């Protein structure tokens, strides 16, 4: 029914850039709240950016403001995370998720994509 798939991760040097993609089936990423999370080794999962069901309600973590940008492509039912000026502290597994309200809130998660920032 509902499936989210992240892609675009990899190894990049400090100061480099990556663009992560999240494609969905069985749920609309245009009409629902979408988030990017990340989890570094031996650390708790951290909210990177929240995108409301409309594009004018975006909220970024302080650690990524000015460097990361989230966007939607409704025609492809996808969301993207453009990451610039990457730092070693950005290393981790990045997950997209979507919250859907029917009779109550339901959360769906992708499998994650690894981002490694290192020389």
């Amino acid at each position: 029914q509902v499936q989210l798939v992240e892609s675009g991760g990899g190894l990049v040097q400090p100061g480099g850039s990556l663009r992560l993609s999240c494609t969905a089936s069985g749920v609309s990423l245009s009409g629902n709240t979408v988030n990017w999370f990340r989890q570094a080794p031996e650390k708790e999962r951290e909210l990177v950016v929240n995108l409301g069901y409309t594009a004018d309600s975006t909220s970024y973590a302080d650690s990524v403001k000015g460097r990361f940008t989230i966007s939607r492509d409704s025609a492809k039912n996808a969301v993207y995370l453009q990451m610039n000026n990457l730092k070693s502290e950005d290393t981790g597994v990045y997950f997209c998720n979507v919250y859907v309200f029917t009779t109550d809130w339901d959360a769906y998660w992708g499998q994650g994509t690894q981002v490694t920032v290192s020389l």
Side-chain angles (χ1 to χ4, degrees):
Q1 290 184 324
V2 175
Q3 184 174 353
L4 304 178
V5 179
E6 301 97 334
S7 63
L11 176 64
V12 64
Q13 295 184 7
S17 298
L18 287 172
R19 190 180 77 155
L20 306 184
S21 298
C22 176
T23 58
S25 60
V27 64
S28 173
L29 298 184
S30 178
N32 293 295
T33 297
V34 180
N35 306 286
W36 282 97
F37 287 82
R38 68 186 180 190
Q39 188 164 21
E42 300 182 349
K43 292 186 177 180
E44 295 182 349
R45 188 170 297 180
E46 172 191 19
L47 176 65
V48 177
V49 58
N50 166 263
L51 179 62
Y53 72 94
T54 59
D56 61 352
S57 58
T58 305
S59 181
Y60 294 89
D62 288 341
S63 59
V64 306
K65 285 182 179 178
R67 300 188 297 119
F68 290 12
T69 304
I70 191 171
S71 62
R72 282 188 173 101
D73 187 335
S74 297
K76 297 181 179 180
N77 197 26
V79 296
Y80 306 97
L81 184 64
Q82 179 66 45
M83 307 187 297
N84 298 324
N85 192 25
L86 284 162
K87 305 175 180 179
S88 61
E89 305 91 86
D90 297 318
T91 294
V93 179
Y94 283 68
F95 303 87
C96 67
N97 91 305
V98 57
Y99 281 82
V100 180
F101 186 88
T102 53
T103 58
D104 201 355
W105 290 102
D106 293 313
Y108 301 96
W109 296 83
Q111 83 292 336
T113 184
Q114 176 71 45
V115 172
T116 303
V117 185
S118 180
L119 294 172

